[in-house]
């Protein structure tokens, strides 16, 4: 086998004949010719066989043993006898007007999945802008927005600060079953979210069975208007956090009022835990605190009772009457934080109670949002919203 035949079989590109190979210290130049006998005229779409001349094109291909590979290709120019048009044959392994093979650009796209554009640019010895262009060309094709929504039944809605400290939140939509981002909307305004859902069609809106979101009125309003068959569930972890904050408010107040007493010190995390998750030392310190404050004990018991009422399991029958009794007891405690919690609970009772029926939370969305933070970090914050959106959506494919 000659060296030319050897490189020809490694390249394995159709209708490409290697004529000579030049080895440089960092590059391998492979001179070759396209051997097609006929090509389709782009105007009349007829096959033509008359070659007018050859023109030279350069394509970067996948590296071989750490060296850049450059194909110097003689590409035939055909002439169409029908319409008199001269046209170049386009090799099927390269996009027109590009100076790399399709497999090289796909490789660059794959490298970008876990690295910044500038790191990839250094790796393949290309300019940062070229890498970015290649990435977004592939990414836009790969995202397939309508396809992503085709099977969604459980939707998560959450927000994320796009630029820190600027209060510009983006709205993040996730498929809670598949655990992928569906899309990122430029803000979390009612109109933006509504027109997005409507653009996905009635089939989509009727298919949604559950939506999980935070207490943010525009989300809840839009979801109730757009999804006729869906239960809107307020994220349970947010509810529990807000109840724990109310409980902690009482502890803080006691700390202030009894500066000389040690028993209210260092119990915050024990207080937040479920009793059966506390170790014996934590139980002892809670016991000491409760002996000094019946109010704290009542509030703690109340929090535990709430968790028990709200607990979700496939087999449990939830009793909503217990929630009525709980609300009465919480009102009797008559503490600022608890009163505020009860007010929120009564206002969004249907959506909070829906957790006991569905067991759906937004925890997955919050986890996925760490991925967005990661992309922002490796891309210097990605100031361009569209770029950030595409990078995140592609990562979930
Ligand atoms: Zn023609």
């Amino acid at each position: 086998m000659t060296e030319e035949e050897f490189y020809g079989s490694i390249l394995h590109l159709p209708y490409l004949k290697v004529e000579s190979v030049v080895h440089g210290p960092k590059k391998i130049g492979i001179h070759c010719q396209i051997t097609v006998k006929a090509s389709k005229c782009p105007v009349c779409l007829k096959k033509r066989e008359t070659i007018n001349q050859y023109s030279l094109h350069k394509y970067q291909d996948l590296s071989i043993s750490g060296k850049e590979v450059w194909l110097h290709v003689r590409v035939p120019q055909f002439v169409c006898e029908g319409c008199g048009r001269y046209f170049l044959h386009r090799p099927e392994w390269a996009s027109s007007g590009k100076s790399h093979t399709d497999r090289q650009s796909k490789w660059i796209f794959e490298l970008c999945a876990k690295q910044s554009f500038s790191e990839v640019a250094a790796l393949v010895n290309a300019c940062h802008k070229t890498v970015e262009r290649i990435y977004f060309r592939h990414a836009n094709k790969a995202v397939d927005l309508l396809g992503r929504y085709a099977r969604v039944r459980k939707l998560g809605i959450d927000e994320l600060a796009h630029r820190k400290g600027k209060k510009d939140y983006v709205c993040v939509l996730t498929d809670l079953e598949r655990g992928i981002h569906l899309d990122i909307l430029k803000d979390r305004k009612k109109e933006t979210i509504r027109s997005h859902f409507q653009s996905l069609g009635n089939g989509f809106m009727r298919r949604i069975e559950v939506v999980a979101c935070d207490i943010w009125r525009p989300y809840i309003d839009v979801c109730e208007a757009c999804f006729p068959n869906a239960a809107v569930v307020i994220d349970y972890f947010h509810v529990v956090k807000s109840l724990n904050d109310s409980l902690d408010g009482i502890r803080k107040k006691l700390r202030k009022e009894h500066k000389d007493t040690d028993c209210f010190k260092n119990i915050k995390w024990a207080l937040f835990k479920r009793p059966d998750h506390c170790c014996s030392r934590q139980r002892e310190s809670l016991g000491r605190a409760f002996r000094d404050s019946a109010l704290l004990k009542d509030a703690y018991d109340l929090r535990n009772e709430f968790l028990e009422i709200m607990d979700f399991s496939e087999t449990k029958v939830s009793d909503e009457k217990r929630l009525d009794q709980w609300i009465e007891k919480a009102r009797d405690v008559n503490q600022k934080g608890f009163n505020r919690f009860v007010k929120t609970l009564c206002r969004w009772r249907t959506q909070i109670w829906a957790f006991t029926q569905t067991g759906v939370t937004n925890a997955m969305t919050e986890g996925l949002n760490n991925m967005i933070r990661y992309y922002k970090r490796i891309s210097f914050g990605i100031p361009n919203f569209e770029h950030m959106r595409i990078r995140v959506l592609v990562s979930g494919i």
Side-chain angles (χ1 to χ4, degrees), residues 292-303:
D292 271 30
S293 168
L295 172 67
L296 190 65
K297 170 88 169 88
D298 287 348
Y300 177 74
D301 288 344
L302 215 52
R303 196 280 315 264

Side-chain angles (χ1 to χ4, degrees), residues 297-312:
K297 170 88 169 88
D298 287 348
Y300 177 74
D301 288 344
L302 215 52
R303 196 280 315 264
N304 294 339
E305 195 187 340
F306 183 81
L307 298 184
E308 196 203 312
I309 295 171
M310 295 293 293
D311 260 349
F312 171 81

